[in-house]
Every structure is written in C-alpha cells, then in structure tokens.
Amino acid sequence: PVAAPAMENAQIVKPNFLVVGAEKSGTTTFCHQIAQHPQVFVSTPKEPHFFSRDDDYEQKGLDWYYRLFDAGRDAVAIGEGSVTYSYESRQDRVIPRLLEHLPDVRIVYLMRHPVRRMESIWTQTQSLGEVEPETTFAEFVYTHRRVLFSNSYYFAGVSAFREHCPPERMLLILLD
C-alpha cells in the first residue's frame, strides 16, 4: 500500500468528513454551500478521487492527498467530496483505504431521486455533445442502464459504508 507521509516537523492536516453519493446527487452544490461557513474547509479540487483511483493512491501518495487540506488547518470541519467513493464497483478498495488512513472520518452520503438523477446526467451528456441530440431519455437510459442503475442502488452503497462506520458518523441526505 501507499507509504506514510514523509512530512517531518509539519502538522499533517487530514479531512474529518467526506461527501459521497452518486453523481448528480448534489455533492458539488452541497460542498460549495458548506464551504461558505468560516469554520469549514473543502479541498480544491473538490473531488480528488484519491482513494478510488489506484494510480493516484499508489503513485501520488498520502503526502499529495494531505497537502490538499493544508489551507484548512484552522478550520473545524475539513473535507472533500468525491462521488467515486460511493461507486459500488470500487467500494471493496475505497472503504478499507479511506478508513485505514482516516479512521474517524464522518461520511455525508447524498442521494437523489434516481430518475431525476438520470435525467440530469442525460441533460449534461447532451449539452456536452457526448450523445446525439436526438437521443431520447429512454434510449439513453437503455444504452447506459448498467452504470445508471448500479449507481442508483443507494441501499448497497449506504450499506457498504455502514458495515464499517458507526451510524453516528454517517449523515444521509436526500436532495429532493
């Protein structure tokens, strides 16, 4: 696994909360809003994806990750918001990694009505030109159903975190 930070004589700043949830569930808006509070710091980038990207975790290392939070050393709440931490396909790696390095971290799990979330993804992919303009919502869902549905099974994602985090360290929020 990744080596311990080499920072000597410097106080390491670690996040004490993570905002997770499926994409288009409001994590960016939530992080932006809470970061307005003077005692809250959210990393830049908001989504470092450190624990979910094997290359980042193994090659960039903890020094890189912890430096994202240096500017928040005076904050009471320090965090980040990577939606990939909630991806079912990555949770077997993500949860043990983040709890190894952040054993007391609090989890804010954002959810949104699955159909509204899928509509938002469809709208975004159309505006970015990633699908043909004439692609209907039904065609989009059918074509991308595997990833759209797997990321909407909130019970699986929440359950995976609850297996390792006590309920008092988890906050579940429904965007709707």
Side-chain angles (χ1 to χ4, degrees):
V2 64
M7 297 180 201
E8 293 183 32
N9 301 326
Q11 174 127 359
I12 297 171
V13 180
K14 296 181 181 183
N16 54 23
F17 75 89
L18 300 175
V19 178
V20 302
E23 64 183 327
K24 300 303 188 186
S25 290
T27 59
T28 300
T29 300
F30 181 82
C31 285
H32 176 74
Q33 288 175 342
I34 64 171
Q36 302 308 305
H37 193 284
Q39 294 179 322
V40 177
F41 175 82
V42 176
S43 68
T44 301
K46 180 270 258 181
E47 294 189 76
H49 304 286
F50 179 72
F51 295 107
S52 58
R53 291 187 177 157
D54 293 339
D55 288 346
D56 288 353
Y57 182 75
E58 294 166 5
Q59 294 171 14
K60 288 183 178 178
L62 286 169
D63 282 343
W64 174 86
Y65 181 68
Y66 292 150
R67 277 195 300 271
L68 295 175
F69 306 99
D70 281 346
R73 74 177 52 255
D74 295 327
V76 174
I78 303 164
E80 57 122 322
S82 296
V83 297
T84 53
Y85 297 167
S86 68
Y87 287 6
E88 185 180 11
S89 62
R90 299 180 186 184
Q91 286 182 332
D92 61 332
R93 296 185 314 277
V94 168
I95 295 172
R97 284 177 180 173
L98 68 89
L99 291 177
E100 175 186 350
H101 302 293
L102 307 171
D104 299 320
V105 73
R106 294 177 181 271
I107 305 295
V108 179
Y109 201 110
L110 285 156
M111 299 166 282
R112 182 179 187 182
H113 187 286
V115 175
R116 301 289 89 76
R117 192 182 74 76
M118 291 179 208
E119 286 173 337
S120 182
I121 294 169
W122 173 59
T123 301
Q124 181 182 31
T125 58
Q126 283 192 317
S127 69
L128 295 174
E130 295 173 355
V131 295
E132 297 297 322
E134 63 275 357
T135 302
T136 67
F137 177 64
E139 291 168 333
F140 177 76
V141 170
Y142 182 77
T143 305
H144 299 87
R145 66 188 173 279
R146 184 177 216 194
V147 69
L148 289 173
F149 291 158
S150 71
N151 289 337
S152 293
Y153 294 140
Y154 302 129
F155 178 78
V158 170
S159 295
F161 276 97
R162 288 198 66 188
E163 283 181 37
H164 303 282
C165 296
E168 63 272 10
R169 287 201 347 245
M170 287 190 68
L171 176 63
L172 307 178
I173 299 175
L174 183 59
L175 177 67
D176 306 284

